[in-house]
Amino acid sequence: MLRLPATRVAPRMLQRPKARSVATAPPPGYTADPAASPMLRYQASIPTLPVPTLQSTAAKYLETVKPLLAPDAFAKTQNAVESFVASPLAATLQKRLQERAAEPGMKNWLADWWNDVAYMGYRDPVVVFVSYFFVHADDLFRRDPAKRAASLVKAMLPFRELVESGRLEPEKVRGAPLCMDSYKWLFHSSRYPVKPSDTAHKFDPKENNHIAVIRKNKFFIVPLADASGRELSAAELELQFNRVIAAAGETPDAYPVGALTGDNRDLWTEAREALLAASPDGKNEEMLRKIESAMVVVALDDTKPVTREDISWGTWTGDGRNRFYDKHQLIVYDNGRSGFLGEHSCMDGTPTLRMNEFMLATLSSGKIDLGPSTISNPSSLPYPQQLTFQLNDTVKSHITSATSRFDTLISKHELHVLHYEGYGKNLMKHHKFSPDAWAQLVKQLAFHKLFGRPGVTYESAQTRKFQRGRTEVIRSASSESKAWAEAMLDPTAWREPLKLKDLFSKAVSRHIQYSSWAADGQGVDRHLFGLKRMLKDGEPLPEIYKDETFAKSSHWELSTSQLSSKFLEGWGYGEVVEDGFGLSYAIGDEYVRWTITNLKERQRGAELRHCLAEAATEVRRMLEAAEKVEKGKL
């Protein structure tokens, strides 16, 4: 019988790293490389991703599928799993995977496979299926779009210098440095559409010291320094953004080239080839290269979003035209509000969050040098270069089709934001529970309210404690969370709040334990993925993969992830299965905020929003009732 250990472990919290390099002694087990830059000084001693044991993965897999299955279905799955673990084929696959992990120079046995399957080889549009967005906290002193855009770009430049020079202090969790390899993709990089799998390219910052700006679907190039190499001040950048706004005029370009980046990747591949062929002199390729090599894209939208939903929609998708989705982009609206859209293929959200926090924090505290507030000779500053592509009927047809498909795709979706102000991290800590586990259990209770069963839930755990690490799945639905949620829905159970609290505590403990396993590279999903990849032609697919439970338990009805920052007013991404929800969340001191995305035809987003609020309140009531009983016993 495969058994899951019941060890209780402490939660792992992501520490807020310092942006400045600080000379410190190497953490235990790590060696600083004197020849490497400060940012990468521990890189060589960061461990490689482990290969879990078959027995451990099998036990965890059975434990996580049990709450999703009826007893007879679970018995069938248990037989399939135990037969697989005992089979010669499983031992062979495990040995092959271990040998792959031990290959010289193999920093991460999973990374190349995962980057291809989850990102580069994924052919659906990056919006809504891959990209993620941040909504910036408002800047009350910069309501003008040009001023706001200038300040953000100016605040980004010191962070770029820290990254490109290698002086940025490595992020750490519990004193252990995280892999910083993906930071090279933060600036001056672009994703490229290629069949059957996309590629990415990093450009030299010194040779491409500019940004690309989009306004009214028209592209402009703005240098970040003058002819002498002096970095432009915020006032000079503001002038350039105002010039872009004036040059773009009031009429949007009828054939927005940027819309092609929001299409199916194979169709974008074909359209890009057509775009290049439309100018035999190479001008279109040259202009694309200027966009792709830019530090970042700045999209100046002509809308003025007010509600949380409006600005979330605008930052997540926009209108599909005034964008270039193959790169990170800042988005600034006509009322001075702003946000960030992340290109997800080469890096996850923690590095881009760190960059955005750096920008917003230094602006808020006044610790960024914006330069002189006036411009001595505005006429000496060359005007932004407008890029005018040569378009033939073939390219125009591609653009028209791409915009039509984008509009159809977005029209099928809905987005809701719940900014719950009943409590936040302070109350969670008062009751001595992990905030993340608490929020995940609120989701489980809400899903039970809506569907009467556990939700198959993906929570992202970063694995950057390993070289080239990205993510592993925290399977948040557990037997313990199911028992607690069912009790919460039983009116008679509320007569004994201490029992409800005990069930809640057990569910929190299980979530913390699985979260730690996932962060340690000991989860279920990536290992099973790797074993399957080791099958050779002609070898039979093991029953564990044929069993309907395998597909059911990874059909992520709730795709969840937490990024919390006082500098963000929201963030989110799309659902990953047609009948599921994207459910990003942030936990502040006095609030919890969820962004819910889903297909409109399901018409359940508003209901889930209501159930989340209801569930969050009921958790507080339950713990307050238990606390009263406990105090009464003293």
Side-chain angles (χ1 to χ4, degrees), residues 250-560:
E250 296 297 322
T251 305
D253 193 321
Y255 293 100
V257 170
L260 297 172
T261 65
D263 207 352
N264 170 279
R265 301 307 293 180
D266 287 344
L267 295 177
W268 170 210
T269 302
E270 296 168 6
R272 192 176 192 278
E273 293 171 355
L275 181 61
L276 298 181
S279 63
D281 59 359
K283 291 295 184 182
N284 283 354
E285 184 174 14
E286 179 185 341
M287 287 186 287
L288 275 178
R289 188 187 182 281
K290 287 182 178 179
I291 298 169
E292 293 154 351
S293 62
M295 178 180 76
V296 71
V297 170
V298 180
L300 298 176
D301 277 12
D302 57 6
T303 58
K304 298 179 180 180
V306 174
T307 68
R308 293 184 188 277
E309 284 78 9
D310 285 347
I311 195 168
S312 294
W313 268 117
T315 313
W316 181 31
T317 69
D319 64 359
R321 293 150 175 83
N322 201 57
R323 294 287 185 274
F324 195 84
Y325 294 118
D326 284 358
K327 288 178 65 67
H328 296 316
Q329 50 201 311
L330 291 170
I331 299 155
V332 180
Y333 301 93
D334 264 359
N335 56 0
R337 302 193 72 185
S338 64
F340 174 85
L341 184 66
E343 201 296 294
H344 207 176
S345 63
C346 292
M347 65 192 321
D348 296 311
T350 46
T352 55
L353 174 64
R354 185 178 180 185
M355 177 190 71
N356 277 271
E357 284 193 314
F358 177 93
M359 294 158 51
L360 299 170
T362 54
L363 286 169
S364 176
S365 63
K367 293 183 178 179
I368 187 73
D369 181 8
L370 297 175
S373 58
T374 59
I375 306 173
S376 58
N377 186 11
S379 61
S380 67
L381 193 64
Y383 272 71
Q385 175 193 4
Q386 184 170 354
L387 305 181
T388 304
F389 289 91
Q390 299 175 31
L391 307 180
N392 56 24
D393 289 343
T394 300
V395 177
K396 289 179 180 179
S397 177
H398 278 296
I399 293 173
T400 301
S401 298
T403 56
S404 176
R405 282 187 288 269
F406 183 90
D407 292 345
T408 299
L409 175 64
I410 300 307
S411 70
K412 294 179 179 178
H413 282 79
E414 60 181 11
L415 179 151
H416 298 273
V417 179
L418 170 62
H419 188 77
Y420 179 82
E421 296 182 328
Y423 58 82
K425 190 181 302 180
N426 289 339
L427 182 75
M428 297 171 180
K429 289 184 175 180
H430 166 77
H431 288 288
K432 297 184 169 68
F433 287 111
S434 155
D436 184 71
W438 179 309
Q440 284 290 331
L441 286 171
V442 168
K443 293 181 184 66
Q444 288 299 316
L445 179 55
F447 199 91
H448 273 79
K449 284 173 169 287
L450 199 53
F451 297 102
R453 60 176 177 81
V456 182
T457 306
Y458 178 120
E459 182 185 357
S460 179
Q462 73 166 354
T463 53
R464 285 176 52 216
K465 66 185 294 182
F466 304 106
Q467 292 196 41
R468 296 188 67 198
R470 292 202 62 165
T471 60
E472 173 61 281
V473 182
I474 302 170
R475 292 185 162 214
S476 297
S478 65
S479 295
E480 290 83 358
S481 69
K482 180 182 180 181
W484 168 75
E486 288 177 345
M488 289 289 287
L489 295 176
D490 178 2
T492 62
W494 282 80
R495 298 169 186 165
E496 299 181 273
L498 288 180
K499 287 187 177 181
L500 288 175
K501 181 181 178 181
D502 181 60
L503 291 171
F504 183 77
S505 180
K506 289 176 180 176
V508 166
S509 295
R510 178 59 79 199
H511 184 81
I512 291 171
Q513 183 181 52
Y514 202 97
S515 298
S516 297
W517 282 330
D520 288 341
Q522 298 293 325
V524 166
D525 292 88
R526 305 301 188 245
H527 187 203
L528 290 178
F529 170 82
L531 292 172
K532 190 176 181 181
R533 288 294 296 244
M534 297 313 306
L535 284 168
K536 294 182 178 180
D537 290 343
E539 291 180 331
L541 183 67
E543 286 298 321
I544 186 176
Y545 297 105
K546 296 179 186 178
D547 179 27
E548 63 183 18
T549 297
F550 181 76
K552 180 176 182 177
S553 69
S554 57
H555 184 77
W556 307 118
E557 298 172 300
L558 294 176
S559 175
T560 76

Side-chain angles (χ1 to χ4, degrees), residues 44 47 65 81 198 239 274 281 399 435 449 471 494 578 587:
V65 302
V81 171
D198 288 0
L239 173 62
D281 59 359
I399 293 173
K449 284 173 169 287
T471 60
W494 282 80
E578 289 189 355
I587 306 172

Side-chain angles (χ1 to χ4, degrees), residues 424-425 428 435-436 439 562-564 585-589 591-593:
K425 190 181 302 180
M428 297 171 180
D436 184 71
Q562 182 202 164
L563 288 176
S564 299
Y585 59 109
I587 306 172
D589 289 341
Y591 69 85
V592 187
R593 183 173 53 241

